[in-house]
């Protein structure tokens, strides 16, 4: 479970080296509840670099590789990510129950949270056609929560109404993709996930603070 102080997760989509990454993160760590890393880190600083980040910064690290393979590969990846200091992992729902059952149990045993992707901030029409099925699947698997798009507030509301308060809803698509800051949490998400609006800004701390004010006092 991600502890909610501010309601904001940084999508840390950068190809920077670990030194630059750590300096940047230290500048805004008090404002964000988790750091989402993924392919950009894997392909640039690699697993050892990710381990340096997770050792150097004291926060919740979410790995977003949108994992979606057969069971034994999924399970291998989860174990490796755990060794790198990762706390939560985003997985595709689309691979279905047989590929997710074992990994959900393994993750609980290892203390890793699984967040299931069940709708996408752009496209994702096959997901949206099967929304209720995938939400039900996630609740039966015993995962930590779901990824729901800030660009589709009706889906956030629908998923929240289905799962109650027992699951965390993480919402990407805020800022560059069109979601207005504060409106995904106002629709029922626990966290907004923001990347480029913060990372590419000249003053990331100020932008982050303005997103936090919108989360506290949404105008949607
Ligand atoms: O704020 P952005 O647009 O720069 O970044 C959005 C991040 O959220 C980026 O890291 C995407 O990989 C991720 N994301 C989406 O943008 N849309 C989705 O439907 C799902 C995700 C995702 O899984 O994030 C958890």
């Amino acid at each position: 479970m991600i502890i909610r102080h501010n309601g904001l997760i940084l999508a840390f989509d950068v190809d920077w080296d670990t030194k630059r990454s750590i300096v940047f993160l230290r500048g805004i760590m008090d404002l964000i509840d988790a750091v989402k890393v993924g392919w950009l880190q894997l392909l640039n600083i690699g697993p050892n670099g990710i381990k340096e980040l997770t050792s150097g910064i004291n926060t919740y690290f979410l790995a977003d590789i949108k994992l979606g393979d057969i069971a034994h590969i999924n399970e291998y990846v989860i174990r490796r990510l755990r060794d790198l200091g990762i706390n939560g992992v985003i997985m595709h729902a689309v691979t279905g129950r047989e590929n997710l059952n074992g990994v959900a149990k393994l993750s609980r045993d290892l203390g890793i949270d699984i967040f299931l992707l069940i709708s996408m901030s752009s496209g994702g029409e096959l997901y949206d056609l099967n929304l209720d099925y995938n939400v039900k699947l996630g609740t039966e698997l015993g995962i930590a929560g779901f990824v729901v798009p800030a660009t589709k507030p009706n889906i956030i509301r629908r998923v929240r109404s289905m799962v109650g308060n027992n699951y965390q809803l993480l919402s990407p698509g805020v800022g560059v993709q069109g979601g207005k800051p504060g409106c995904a949490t106002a629709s029922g998400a626990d966290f907004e996930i923001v990347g480029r609006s913060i990372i590419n800004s000249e003053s990331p701390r100020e932008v982050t603070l303005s997103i936090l004010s919108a989360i506290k006092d949404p105008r949607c």
Side-chain angles (χ1 to χ4, degrees):
M1 181 172 146
I2 307 172
I3 303 199
R4 189 184 195 280
H5 297 291
N6 302 297
L8 182 61
I9 296 173
L10 177 70
F12 199 38
D13 298 325
V14 297
D15 58 4
W16 305 341
D17 62 26
T18 47
K19 199 168 156 215
R20 182 173 173 199
S21 297
I22 287 176
V23 169
F24 181 91
L25 291 175
R26 290 210 171 121
I28 56 166
M29 270 331 296
D30 56 319
L31 306 179
I32 57 180
D33 296 331
V35 175
K36 184 170 86 69
V37 292
W39 287 111
L40 275 87
Q41 280 77 23
L42 270 177
L43 295 172
N44 289 290
I45 55 173
N48 293 339
I50 291 178
K51 198 160 186 182
E52 261 183 71
L53 290 187
T54 61
S55 317
I57 300 281
N58 182 23
T59 190
Y60 186 107
F61 274 90
L62 184 60
D64 178 11
I65 50 169
K66 298 186 180 64
L67 181 60
D69 210 316
I70 57 170
H72 88 281
I73 303 290
N74 289 339
E75 290 172 23
Y76 175 86
V77 174
I78 293 287
R79 285 185 199 282
R80 278 293 292 143
L81 290 172
R82 191 271 317 261
D83 294 345
L84 302 181
I86 292 295
N87 308 101
V89 179
I90 292 171
M91 295 196 68
H92 269 298
V94 73
T95 61
R97 189 183 303 278
E98 190 179 333
N99 294 316
L100 289 166
N101 241 330
V103 80
K105 181 178 180 314
L106 173 70
S107 302
R108 280 195 302 279
D109 293 346
L110 296 177
I112 298 282
D113 297 326
I114 297 294
F115 294 93
L116 212 53
L117 182 74
I118 51 166
S119 177
M120 296 198 73
S121 55
S122 57
E125 60 273 26
L126 294 181
Y127 268 134
D128 294 341
L129 284 170
N130 295 292
L131 184 72
D132 289 11
Y133 178 91
N134 287 327
V135 173
K136 190 160 172 283
L137 171 64
T139 59
E140 287 165 5
L141 290 169
I143 56 160
F146 298 90
V147 177
V148 287
T151 49
K152 300 175 185 171
N154 287 344
I155 289 198
I156 303 178
R157 282 189 280 270
R158 168 86 190 143
V159 175
R160 178 57 79 200
S161 75
M162 288 182 74
V163 302
N165 291 323
N166 294 329
Y167 294 84
Q168 293 192 308
L169 304 186
L170 321 184
S171 190
V174 176
V176 175
Q177 296 186 55
K180 209 173 157 202
C183 297
T185 42
S187 302
D190 297 285
F191 298 91
E192 299 198 356
I193 298 177
V194 182
R196 288 165 291 178
S197 301
I198 296 175
I199 291 159
N200 296 341
S201 153
E202 299 271 295
S203 40
R205 197 170 167 89
E206 280 68 48
V207 171
T208 308
L209 282 166
S210 78
I211 296 168
L212 293 192
S213 334
I215 290 174
K216 277 204 191 87
D217 181 19
R219 284 152 214 260
C220 305

